[in-house]
Amino acid sequence: MSTPSLLLVAAVAVLYSSGFYLLLQRSLMRVVFGIIILGHAANLSLLLTDTAITLPPLLGGEPGAQLSDPLPHAMALTAIVITFGVTTFLLALAYRVWLGDENDEVPDDLEDRRISRLREPEDSS
Amino acid sequence: MNVLLAVPLLVPLSGAAVTLLLRRNPRSQRITSTVTLAAAVVAAALLLRRTHDGTVVTTQAGAWEAPLGITLVADPVSALLLLVSSVVLLIVLLYAIGQDIGGLSRATPQVFHPVYLVLTAGVNLSFVSGDLFNLFVGFEVMLTASYALITQAPTRARVRASMVYTTVSLTSSILFLTGIALVYALTGTVNMADVAEKLGAAPPALRMVLALLFLVVFGIKAAIVPMHFWLPDSYPVALTRISAIFAALLTKVAVYAIIRTQTLLFARDDTSAVLMAVAVVTMVVGILGALVQSDINRIMSFALVSHIGFMVFGLALNTVAGLAGAVVYLVHHIVVQATLFLVNGLIRQYVGHTSLTDIRGLTAVSPALAVFFFLPALSLAGLPPMSGFVAKVALFEAGVATGGALAWAGVAAGVLTSLLTLIAVVRVWTRAFWGTPRPDMLEAREQLRTGSNRGGLRIMTATTGAMVAVGLAVALMAGPLTRVGLTAAEGLLDGDAYVAAVLGEGAR
């Protein structure tokens, strides 16, 4: 077993951190981008479990040559399809929110707003 | 090869395809989905009959041997949950059909049926899946269907709420995928029985990190307290029949996944401090949240969060009695929570909203409604003849028998939560059900009863009644249920039978 490429590990780390950073933003578009990047990070880390990803999976190499493990590829493929589908749905939702409100800021929680409204009279007095 | 295991999965999926084709013909669509779910109930009942003595039934898809192929497994826990969830899914479907027939819902029924059946398939796959990746796929199928359902009859609030719901669920799915990648890197397999075998040799620190990661992943979906914030914001906004099925099943599937992974993959011998702390915090914080709400739907959503803690408490004890209590509690809670949300739906039908400040005298508006709320509410609080009492006593007994500061803390939190639940429920009862109804409520009732939609209303009332009856049946069946729970708990704690059944006899 060889060690995974340091470059790939670094890429995964960067993807995860930037994905989560974007997820914490208020703009819905950035949240969607955050999800997309996080999806890539997860898929890449699935591929990382195979330490011989540069080799062909199943067929293609000369007889007796080392092959890469096909299972992570299969799982990553499934996961890509799933994240892709849901991301499309998320984009549509973000668009609907934008249509409704003409902005895509994530608002405060309903209860939060109710509580802050309760506090308002005190502030004005 | 056991075909029975594939039925709860394949039948709803084919049903979804058929109902999609029948979208121009609502009548045959309704018949198809009812028949489909009835078939799922029968298959689940047969599975439970096969497994109730602790037998583990397995199927290897395509006859690929266990660690390589896709494995479907049913042991007493999964068969029991499969049966209860199929029954609840069937009843809520009939409720929804009543709502559609009466024209009482603004959702588009053509879309509802296929998506609902896909949701069923996802829930069932999660229960019978034998490997982590298929568990992920089951979760995704279930969640993707739920994203579509939560945006039914979209209003601005609903679109906002579903944005939160979708983002949070998707984040936890991505973490789940990361967890699978780590497990695969560590063990070279995703088959749960095989992982259980191989993780034993892994360094304890790595095991703990993975155990925590999976706890977080499923904890988000089960709405365990630090990770619960999305639930009271998204569930109450959705259509009631949809939040009923979400509250009853989606969180419970996650609880099942927590129980399965923490007992099988990360087996331990003692009471878990982390799980117990999480359980105590979930119970207390959840119910305190419920006490300060002024909307029945929100109260029920917070109570749902709180009562997830009871199941985690049973799991944290890590004894046969504790796990048996958790399993019985799961069954009880699926039914009761679904009933309460259906009742909320009826209230919404009569009054138009569920805000406590504007509702009075529901008993006079509809006596049946009062009974339908009263019985499951008492059960939720855990008063004696109801199923909640049976489940809670089982958990508390297990806690006392285990002893130690941790177990006692759990029991104390449980008793406190039960009392506070009673207060929350009584508050709803005195505010909404007592007193003289406002004149406009009586007018609305007359309109409903004499209008063209009264047939639909009758079906909705009847199905809610059926759900209450199922809740009573759970209480009546407490003896057999507890026996199945004990067998299930033994299987969960031991794990050898499960591993042997999946990997073949020679594995151990």
Side-chain angles (χ1 to χ4, degrees):
Chain A
M1 183 172 151
S2 59
T3 47
S5 148
L6 191 63
L7 194 66
L8 277 178
V9 175
V12 167
V14 169
L15 283 178
Y16 268 114
S17 33
S18 42
F20 275 114
Y21 175 76
L22 284 175
L23 204 60
L24 295 173
Q25 303 298 305
R26 280 223 144 187
S27 154
L28 280 183
M29 227 29 243
R30 291 185 190 189
V31 170
V32 173
F33 278 126
I35 290 280
I36 293 174
I37 292 177
L38 276 181
H40 281 308
N43 289 328
L44 201 54
S45 58
L46 259 181
L47 287 179
L48 261 183
T49 60
D50 178 15
T51 50
I53 37 174
T54 48
L55 298 174
L58 298 179
L59 295 170
E62 58 266 32
Q66 207 193 350
L67 296 178
S68 73
D69 184 353
L71 195 56
H73 295 263
M75 290 197 288
L77 191 59
T78 314
I80 286 170
V81 173
I82 291 172
T83 36
F84 184 68
V86 183
T87 307
T88 319
F89 181 75
L90 208 58
L91 267 174
L93 265 187
Y95 180 63
R96 273 302 280 266
V97 173
W98 182 79
L99 269 191
D101 297 4
E102 286 294 317
N103 75 59
D104 71 340
E105 296 270 296
V106 178
D108 289 330
D109 181 57
L110 268 180
E111 288 297 295
D112 277 358
R113 260 187 284 167
R114 203 167 293 160
I115 291 165
S116 59
R117 225 178 289 144
L118 285 179
R119 210 173 45 201
E120 263 163 26
E122 281 174 39
D123 290 344
S124 56
S125 63
Chain B
M1 186 72 187
N2 199 327
V3 185
L4 205 53
L5 261 170
V7 171
L9 202 67
L10 294 181
V11 169
L13 269 186
S14 346
V18 173
T19 47
L20 196 62
L21 293 175
L22 291 174
R23 69 184 180 283
R24 306 227 178 276
N25 190 344
R27 204 183 146 81
S28 42
Q29 209 181 23
R30 284 175 198 135
I31 294 171
T32 312
S33 37
T34 312
V35 169
T36 306
L37 283 179
V41 171
V42 172
L46 289 175
L47 259 183
L48 184 61
R49 224 186 77 195
R50 285 276 293 279
T51 56
H52 76 277
D53 52 356
T55 321
V56 182
V57 187
T58 63
T59 292
Q60 315 289 348
W64 284 83
E65 283 309 306
L68 296 177
I70 292 171
T71 315
L72 299 180
V73 200
D75 63 348
V77 198
S78 27
L80 186 63
L81 291 176
L82 210 56
L83 178 61
V84 179
S85 58
S86 307
V87 170
V88 170
L89 278 160
L90 179 60
I91 296 180
V92 175
L93 177 78
L94 295 174
Y95 180 94
I97 289 177
Q99 209 169 10
D100 289 336
I101 288 178
L104 295 161
S105 164
R106 281 181 298 128
T108 40
Q110 297 93 319
V111 187
F112 176 74
H113 287 270
V115 178
Y116 192 79
L117 289 177
V118 169
L119 179 90
T120 310
V123 169
N124 290 352
L125 175 60
S126 309
F127 283 142
V128 298
S129 161
D131 65 58
L132 282 172
F133 196 73
N134 268 297
L135 186 63
F136 169 74
V137 172
F139 261 98
E140 277 320 295
V141 170
M142 173 180 95
L143 289 172
T144 311
S146 77
Y147 304 148
L149 282 179
I150 209 169
T151 42
Q152 287 268 290
T155 57
R156 257 170 69 182
R158 224 165 253 166
V159 173
R160 286 259 181 223
S162 53
M163 190 80 203
V164 174
Y165 175 76
T166 313
T167 314
V168 172
S169 299
L170 205 50
T171 311
S172 96
S173 296
I174 288 170
L175 285 177
F176 189 6
L177 203 57
T178 314
I180 291 173
L182 292 176
V183 166
Y184 189 75
L186 197 61
T187 61
T189 176
V190 284
N191 186 298
M192 283 201 263
D194 206 18
V195 172
E197 291 271 83
K198 290 182 176 155
L199 260 188
L206 269 180
R207 277 190 70 179
M208 202 169 82
V209 169
L210 283 178
L212 281 178
L213 181 60
F214 278 106
L215 184 63
V216 169
V217 165
F218 298 130
I220 294 176
K221 295 185 182 176
I224 284 174
V225 153
M227 286 120 19
H228 73 292
F229 53 89
W230 55 272
L231 189 144
D233 275 342
S234 49
Y235 279 19
V237 186
L239 288 177
T240 336
R241 60 198 193 186
I242 287 158
S243 50
I245 217 64
F246 283 14
L249 291 180
L250 298 199
T251 47
K252 304 311 183 309
V253 175
V255 172
Y256 164 79
I258 293 179
I259 292 179
R260 176 65 78 207
T261 49
Q262 299 292 328
T263 54
L264 183 66
L265 306 188
F266 310 108
R268 47 187 301 141
D269 302 323
D270 47 345
T271 309
S272 161
V274 176
L275 283 174
M276 190 59 85
V278 165
V280 168
V281 172
T282 305
M283 284 193 254
V284 176
V285 172
I287 202 65
L288 288 180
L291 280 174
V292 297
Q293 299 299 320
S294 61
D295 184 283
I296 304 180
N297 251 338
R298 284 186 75 93
I299 292 176
M300 289 312 156
S301 299
F302 272 101
L304 164 69
V305 170
S306 165
H307 285 239
I308 296 288
F310 281 95
M311 296 158 233
V312 182
F313 165 59
L315 171 65
L317 287 175
N318 212 36
T319 59
V320 170
L323 275 168
V327 171
V328 175
Y329 205 95
L330 263 170
V331 172
H332 140 76
H333 201 244
I334 288 178
V335 177
V336 163
Q337 203 69 46
T339 322
L340 285 171
F341 272 92
L342 291 190
V343 173
N344 284 349
L346 278 178
I347 295 178
R348 220 184 244 187
Q349 219 59 257
Y350 277 112
V351 195
H353 61 86
T354 52
S355 172
L356 272 185
T357 42
D358 288 334
I359 305 181
R360 279 198 311 274
L362 274 177
T363 314
V365 173
S366 165
L369 200 59
V371 176
F372 291 166
F373 177 79
F374 191 65
L375 292 175
L378 285 190
S379 186
L380 189 72
L383 262 69
M386 317 301 287
S387 57
F389 177 72
V390 179
K392 281 194 177 110
V393 165
L395 279 177
F396 292 161
E397 265 182 1
V400 172
T402 309
L406 280 175
W408 279 106
V411 173
V415 173
L416 179 70
T417 307
S418 303
L419 288 175
L420 292 178
T421 310
L422 190 62
I423 294 178
V425 163
V426 166
R427 216 173 117 245
V428 174
W429 177 257
T430 46
R431 287 248 205 124
F433 285 87
W434 273 359
T436 41
R438 292 190 337 202
D440 56 318
M441 282 166 65
L442 287 174
E443 265 171 42
R445 176 187 69 172
E446 286 316 310
Q447 266 179 6
L448 265 179
R449 288 209 174 148
T450 50
S452 59
N453 42 23
R454 65 178 184 280
L457 189 70
R458 238 179 248 144
I459 297 181
M460 286 169 73
T461 316
T463 45
T464 313
M467 196 69 103
V468 174
V470 172
L472 291 177
V474 172
L476 284 177
M477 300 278 282
L481 183 64
T482 317
R483 270 199 299 283
V484 176
L486 282 171
T487 321
E490 275 162 20
L492 281 172
L493 273 187
D494 192 11
D496 283 359
Y498 184 95
V499 173
V502 174
L503 296 183
E505 293 303 326
R508 273 207 180 177

